[in-house]
Amino acid sequence: MIGTATGIIRALNSGIKHLAIKRFTLRYPEEKLKFVGDGYQFDPSTGVGIAGLKGRHLLFHDHCTGCQLCSIACEGVAEAIAMVKVPEEHKQNKKAIMPQIDYGKCVFCGLCVDACPFYALYMTNDYELSSFSKEGLIYTPAQLQVKPYVAQDSEIIITSRGATHG
Amino acid sequence: MATELPSNIKSSDVLTDQTSSKWLPPGLALQKVDERIMTLNVGPQHPGSGHMRLIVQIDGDYIVACDPDPGYVHRGEEKMAEYRNYITNIPHLERPVIHDSCNVLYPYVLGVEELLGIEVPERAKYVRVIASELNRCIYIMYWLAIYGIFLGHSTMFMWPAGDRELLIDLMEKMTGARVTHAHFVPGGVRNDLPPNFEEVCLRQVAYFEKRIKEYAAVFYDNPILIARTQDTGVLSRQDAIRLGTTGSVLRASGVDYDLRQKEPYDVYEELDIHSNVMKEGDSYARSKIPWLDMMESCNIIRQALQKMPKSGSVRVKLKPNPKGKGLNTVYKRVESGRGSLGCYIVSDGKPEPYRVKLSVPSFRNLIALPYLLKGEKLGNMPSVYWSLNYWPVEADR
Ligand code: SF4
Ligand code: SF4
């Protein structure tokens, strides 16, 4: 019986100690997490990626040759990439086709980035992609070209009074 | 039969008389029941069963029989694997347990490496060990949070769910995704560690370890938890072996069998691993073993970070669409967060595998459930059920 009482007091005590511990929760829309790097990138010459968040893609129109390798890589994953005609002309892109990505299907695996041999497709830190319509989730080559602005301020800080997102 | 049948159904197709009910498989035919016995369907929508149904027969407050009915989240992962090549299989094969995605993928990747004859760089092996130990902790924290809420201990739901964030943050830095990392590939890992990772990892893992030690006072040494879980659902050593259980369930029954020790893969043989064993075999022991495992994982991460080559390649370059050499089979297994997880791959020399079969620990531990619940009180059912370290989606594949 004494054991039970001390056990319960110890449990309560442990809970009470937490009143003095800092808040760990991230207040999301006001605070945003800091990520390493500018997003996941891949170097085809060495075959190794560069660490970064796998978020929305970034397409470099002046590198893309329309070779469709990204679309073929995605075929076995999510079929999220469709090759579409673009109005502009680039001399490396004779067919004038570039990938268009449907974020309703994409699983953010980054295998398309691994497949691109011309450093044309990277991923960025942009993860806020929600939309009110299904069409809004389809990003055309022109939209993929835009470099996103991502606010990043919080990372985990560990102090003697506990961890917090500061 | 007063009501009229719809026009597209013939009356001869409808079972009306007793003789045609003989066609029905035995489980579906009507059974004579004892008046005292009541059948209770727990699930499939009930939060206390996961995505599955437990058909429990009770006599008053005591369980007479339990028939687990999994299969509600079957996705055909094994069949899907036959239509995709060895690389594009990666994202979907880690879906069965998204919290433990590195460990679910691990046996597949090891198997493909053997089929294709790939030699993995040393640094990549260490990175994989770190990723898989971090993932194991993330999985166990999630499991522990649900175990807490199953027992009505909401503090034990909040704390693990929050402290998991420390490790998810590390995985996010390492792989670029918070869950479903798609980080392991045949030939190594997708990307090298980010700069400064070791320091951050050591700091957060040390704090994480300090936090999980605090769970002892509030949960594991809590007399209320002990009273509720001790001596419930006892699985003896012989039964644990006979029923083919694995992982924490097997080790809670006194069998020292941890694949990281007994059949080391990658660089586990170079690390000093201590496996946690308890003799009791009750729900309490089964819930404590994963917690002890997390502390062991923290040790392994520290050792791996210390022994890891400081630079070097992490991935060998593969040809696009790699093929196996002729007809070949391979079976590899690893210790996942739930127990031994095996993957059997058959290749017939094409870029796609001929067959991929996952042998999952969740399904093997579930087999023990009817034996454990017989004679238990209904109120103990959630704690016994979840102590089996069971993940419905993995069992269904
Ligand atoms: S990240 Fe994966 S799912 Fe998304 S477009 Fe690329 S290959 Fe397809
Ligand atoms: S993004 Fe890369 S892989 Fe895709 S079409 Fe352009 S060059 Fe080819």
Side-chain angles (χ1 to χ4, degrees):
Chain A
M1 213 51 235
I2 301 285
T4 311
T6 47
I8 290 173
I9 290 168
R10 273 187 62 211
L12 285 175
N13 193 23
S14 167
I16 288 167
K17 261 192 243 154
H18 276 72
L19 292 175
I21 285 181
K22 283 194 171 172
R23 171 175 59 80
F24 185 50
T25 326
L26 176 81
R27 299 231 156 131
Y28 162 61
E30 289 91 40
E31 297 176 340
K32 286 178 185 172
L33 272 184
K34 199 178 261 173
F35 305 115
V36 291
D38 290 332
Y40 179 73
Q41 301 175 356
F42 188 76
D43 185 354
S45 65
T46 56
V48 182
I50 299 162
L53 190 85
K54 291 182 188 134
R56 195 260 278 170
H57 297 76
L58 182 63
L59 179 69
F60 296 98
H61 282 214
D62 46 347
H63 292 289
C64 179
T65 61
C67 67
Q68 308 189 15
L69 284 178
C70 52
S71 160
I72 292 167
C74 192
E75 232 158 54
V77 182
E79 296 185 11
I81 301 187
M83 302 303 295
V84 292
K85 274 252 179 270
V86 285
E88 66 217 83
E89 276 177 22
H90 289 286
K91 78 169 170 317
Q92 86 281 8
N93 198 336
K94 292 266 156 42
K95 285 182 273 183
I97 51 172
M98 279 181 198
Q100 161 184 299
I101 303 182
D102 181 355
Y103 287 105
K105 293 178 181 170
C106 175
V107 296
F108 301 98
C109 61
L111 286 181
C112 50
V113 178
D114 287 18
C116 179
F118 301 105
Y119 304 89
L121 201 59
Y122 283 163
M123 287 175 119
T124 62
N125 285 336
D126 185 10
Y127 54 91
E128 291 166 320
L129 299 167
S130 53
S131 155
F132 282 108
S133 65
K134 279 188 181 174
E135 291 72 42
L137 290 171
I138 299 174
Y139 276 58
T140 57
Q143 280 170 298
L144 290 173
Q145 187 185 21
V146 183
K147 208 169 174 340
Y149 167 73
V150 189
Q152 313 182 349
D153 38 20
S154 299
E155 53 184 350
I156 293 177
I157 296 169
I158 293 165
T159 63
S160 54
R161 277 181 60 215
T164 169
H165 278 103
Chain B
M1 291 282 279
T3 50
E4 268 184 42
L5 289 168
S7 57
N8 55 346
I9 297 178
K10 279 183 273 160
S11 62
S12 57
D13 291 347
V14 185
L15 299 175
T16 45
D17 58 329
Q18 283 244 292
T19 46
S20 49
S21 73
K22 276 184 194 151
W23 289 28
L24 293 172
L28 291 179
L30 291 180
Q31 287 169 342
K32 237 183 132 150
V33 286
D34 189 335
E35 274 177 5
R36 288 180 57 83
I37 310 268
M38 188 167 81
T39 307
L40 209 63
N41 281 306
V42 185
Q45 290 98 345
H46 191 272
S49 69
H51 314 285
M52 75 174 299
R53 181 167 64 148
L54 297 169
I55 305 164
V56 195
Q57 293 187 342
I58 48 172
D59 177 1
D61 202 13
Y62 290 90
I63 296 172
V64 184
C66 169
D67 184 11
D69 179 21
Y72 286 88
V73 269
H74 173 63
R75 296 163 172 178
E77 297 282 354
E78 292 173 0
K79 192 70 190 165
M80 275 164 71
E82 292 167 21
Y83 297 99
R84 285 156 172 80
N85 69 28
Y86 288 110
I87 304 294
T88 47
N89 262 330
I90 288 170
H92 83 88
L93 272 181
E94 60 180 12
R95 254 59 189 176
V97 196
I98 56 169
H99 302 291
D100 202 9
S101 56
C102 286
N103 280 315
V104 173
L105 204 57
Y106 216 152
Y108 171 78
V109 168
L110 289 174
V112 173
E113 274 159 10
E114 193 170 304
L115 277 180
L116 307 182
I118 306 168
E119 199 49 56
V120 184
E122 192 72 3
R123 184 171 160 89
K125 290 183 180 174
Y126 278 99
V127 174
R128 279 199 214 169
V129 166
I130 295 167
S132 91
E133 292 303 325
L134 285 172
N135 244 215
R136 186 190 318 278
C137 292
I138 293 172
Y139 167 76
I140 293 174
M141 290 298 262
Y142 193 86
W143 169 86
L144 185 58
I146 296 185
Y147 195 66
I149 203 74
F150 265 21
L151 293 165
H153 195 309
S154 51
T155 310
M156 211 50 207
F157 174 69
M158 301 293 177
W159 287 11
D163 293 332
R164 236 173 115 237
E165 176 64 26
L166 290 163
L167 304 186
I168 291 188
D169 183 69
L170 287 176
M171 284 310 278
E172 182 198 288
K173 288 193 166 69
M174 196 168 170
T175 69
R178 292 167 69 84
V179 284
T180 57
H181 315 287
H183 192 49
F184 293 7
V185 277
V189 290
R190 296 263 301 276
N191 56 261
D192 206 342
L193 298 177
N196 235 343
F197 180 78
E198 283 174 39
E199 189 195 320
V200 179
C201 183
L202 282 176
R203 186 153 27 104
Q204 295 193 5
V205 164
Y207 180 71
F208 174 77
E209 203 176 10
K210 189 177 139 222
R211 283 289 302 163
I212 54 175
K213 280 187 183 144
E214 284 178 33
Y215 295 179
V218 84
F219 195 66
Y220 285 105
D221 294 345
N222 192 328
I224 300 171
L225 176 93
I226 295 174
R228 282 196 61 183
T229 56
Q230 216 159 34
D231 297 327
T232 63
V234 181
L235 184 65
S236 69
R237 188 188 151 93
Q238 284 83 2
D239 286 347
I241 297 170
R242 261 212 312 258
L243 290 170
T245 58
T246 145
S248 60
V249 178
L250 189 62
R251 276 182 279 135
S253 293
V255 186
D256 185 2
Y257 198 82
D258 188 331
L259 282 178
R260 291 174 290 173
Q261 257 182 349
K262 304 284 179 208
E263 284 174 23
Y265 44 94
D266 271 2
V267 285
Y268 275 111
E269 57 206 323
E270 286 159 37
L271 305 170
D272 181 22
I273 297 160
H274 165 81
S275 80
N276 301 297
V277 186
M278 281 170 88
K279 293 235 159 36
E280 293 82 358
D282 54 5
S283 302
Y284 181 71
R286 281 197 295 274
S287 66
K288 197 164 183 175
I289 291 279
W291 178 62
L292 298 171
D293 276 356
M294 281 198 286
M295 299 193 196
E296 191 50 39
S297 289
C298 293
N299 280 336
I300 295 172
I301 293 167
R302 268 192 289 271
Q303 287 179 42
L305 278 174
Q306 202 188 6
K307 290 195 180 166
M308 181 167 69
K310 292 291 167 267
S311 60
S313 167
V314 290
R315 183 178 179 178
V316 289
K317 220 175 158 188
L318 295 184
K319 288 192 304 260
N321 266 357
K323 296 182 185 64
K325 301 180 202 81
L327 193 63
N328 210 344
T329 65
V330 61
Y331 180 71
K332 287 277 173 193
R333 55 180 189 164
V334 303
E335 182 81 17
S336 72
R338 295 155 304 289
S340 107
L341 203 160
C343 185
Y344 178 70
I345 310 172
V346 184
S347 115
D348 59 352
K350 294 213 187 78
E352 299 90 21
Y354 177 76
R355 175 87 170 94
V356 175
K357 162 86 186 135
L358 293 172
S359 152
V360 289
S362 297
F363 193 76
R364 298 214 256 144
N365 289 343
L366 183 68
I367 292 167
L369 186 66
Y371 300 90
L372 296 182
L373 281 182
K374 209 170 262 178
E376 278 306 323
K377 278 191 179 171
L378 184 64
N380 285 338
M381 189 202 75
S383 70
V384 174
Y385 164 67
W386 203 248
S387 74
L388 285 176
N389 214 340
Y390 169 71
W391 197 255
V393 194
E394 190 192 33
D396 298 349
R397 265 97 87 213

